[in-house]
Amino acid sequence: MEDKSDVKLLSSWASPFCMRVILALEYKGIKYEIMEGDKLNQNEFLQQCNPAVNKAPVLIHNGKAIPESLIILEYIDETWPSHNGLDLLPKDPYARALARFWGDFIDKKILSIVGGIVKTKGKDQEKAKVELVEEFIRLDNTLATISLGQAFFSGDHMGFIDIVVAPYMPWLRAVEQMVNLKLPDSSKCPHMNHWMDKMYDHPCVRKALEQPDKLLDYAKSLRKRNFGSV
């Protein structure tokens, strides 16, 4: 039976939180319409849809608004079983709890560090650069542990954690260029580098994620706004 749901996403193109929702919708094969925030009366519309936080993303399903990206991912998973039988979250309650924990933990760590690099300078930025390398190594160890030797965080297929982390890939590449930083290669972090290659090979990922060069320009504009120069 054809799904006649009306699905809209209030989005902001550079946001990793919005990109992950787009990736989940693509992965599930759900038809949707993007409503880009900068093309709307964003403050008024967001205030109506997400009065608690007033930020994108907001998924609007049949007129009902669901805010916050991690909540949206779970909503998508529960509302639309995957066409190929692969859900974002595992069925086992314990495994689901662990996936939620790792998704939330990794999300907060990467966001804090990347934000620190983009929004600071001098010693604070140098400290954030060191933390980013350390976190990349930690991600490699985490992936090796929880994937049980498979290619993805979720095992043998893309799942909740992978979709949470994926939108940071182009941001990491943009940050590398912006601050002249090189993340550990496959000789030091084989699992993460292989994971990124596998993710970028997926057509849903290529469609959902922005290009690093575009994000680099955006990051430079943020720095110029904050500091007067890159």
Side-chain angles (χ1 to χ4, degrees):
M1 182 181 296
E2 183 181 358
D3 183 2
K4 297 186 181 298
S5 297
D6 179 30
V7 180
K8 296 181 175 67
L9 176 65
L10 179 58
S11 181
S12 180
W13 70 268
S15 166
F17 309 113
C18 296
M19 282 187 252
R20 71 172 52 135
V21 175
I22 294 172
L23 177 53
L25 292 169
E26 289 287 341
Y27 189 56
K28 290 277 191 171
I30 302 165
K31 293 182 179 180
Y32 63 95
E33 175 189 351
I34 290 180
M35 304 171 69
E36 188 68 27
D38 59 6
K39 296 179 181 178
L40 299 166
N41 185 344
Q42 186 176 13
N43 291 333
E44 180 181 346
F45 194 74
L46 276 175
Q47 185 64 37
Q48 294 173 2
C49 296
N50 187 9
V53 181
N54 199 30
K55 291 183 179 179
V58 178
L59 186 75
I60 304 173
H61 180 211
N62 292 335
K64 297 179 179 179
I66 303 98
E68 295 297 312
S69 64
L70 296 183
I71 302 299
I72 294 171
L73 293 188
E74 293 199 45
Y75 180 85
I76 289 172
D77 203 34
E78 293 172 356
T79 304
W80 294 278
S82 180
H83 291 174
N84 55 13
L86 299 177
D87 295 318
L88 303 184
L89 284 160
K91 298 295 185 185
D92 176 71
Y94 177 70
R96 288 172 70 88
L98 285 182
R100 291 190 186 102
F101 166 77
W102 281 113
D104 181 65
F105 178 80
I106 294 170
D107 196 13
K108 290 174 180 175
K109 291 290 290 185
I110 300 178
L111 177 65
S112 175
I113 296 169
V114 171
I117 291 176
V118 173
K119 297 176 182 178
T120 63
K121 60 181 179 178
K123 291 182 179 179
D124 289 339
Q125 189 185 75
E126 290 302 314
K127 180 182 177 182
K129 288 166 63 175
V130 172
E131 290 177 347
L132 182 60
V133 172
E134 292 175 346
E135 188 58 31
F136 195 78
I137 295 171
R138 187 209 296 266
L139 278 173
D140 191 76
N141 294 332
T142 301
L143 176 57
T145 301
I146 67 177
S147 68
L148 301 178
Q150 300 292 329
F152 301 99
F153 282 96
S154 298
D156 60 356
H157 66 279
M158 192 193 311
F160 184 80
I161 304 174
D162 303 280
I163 288 175
V164 168
V165 179
Y168 289 113
M169 294 191 300
W171 267 111
L172 292 177
R173 294 310 186 203
V175 165
E176 281 186 302
Q177 296 179 60
M178 187 178 73
V179 297
N180 193 26
L181 170 70
K182 183 63 179 175
L183 292 172
D185 61 20
S186 57
S187 66
K188 295 182 179 179
C189 290
H191 305 97
M192 274 303 296
N193 280 278
H194 179 62
W195 176 82
M196 287 193 293
D197 289 342
K198 290 285 289 185
M199 290 294 287
Y200 271 126
D201 281 343
H202 201 291
C204 293
V205 173
R206 292 197 298 270
K207 187 169 183 178
L209 303 191
E210 292 292 342
Q211 293 299 312
D213 289 347
K214 187 177 179 182
L215 293 173
L216 175 60
D217 291 340
Y218 177 72
K220 287 181 177 179
S221 71
L222 290 179
R223 288 188 63 79
K224 190 171 183 180
R225 188 186 312 161
N226 290 334
F227 302 115
S229 64
V230 177

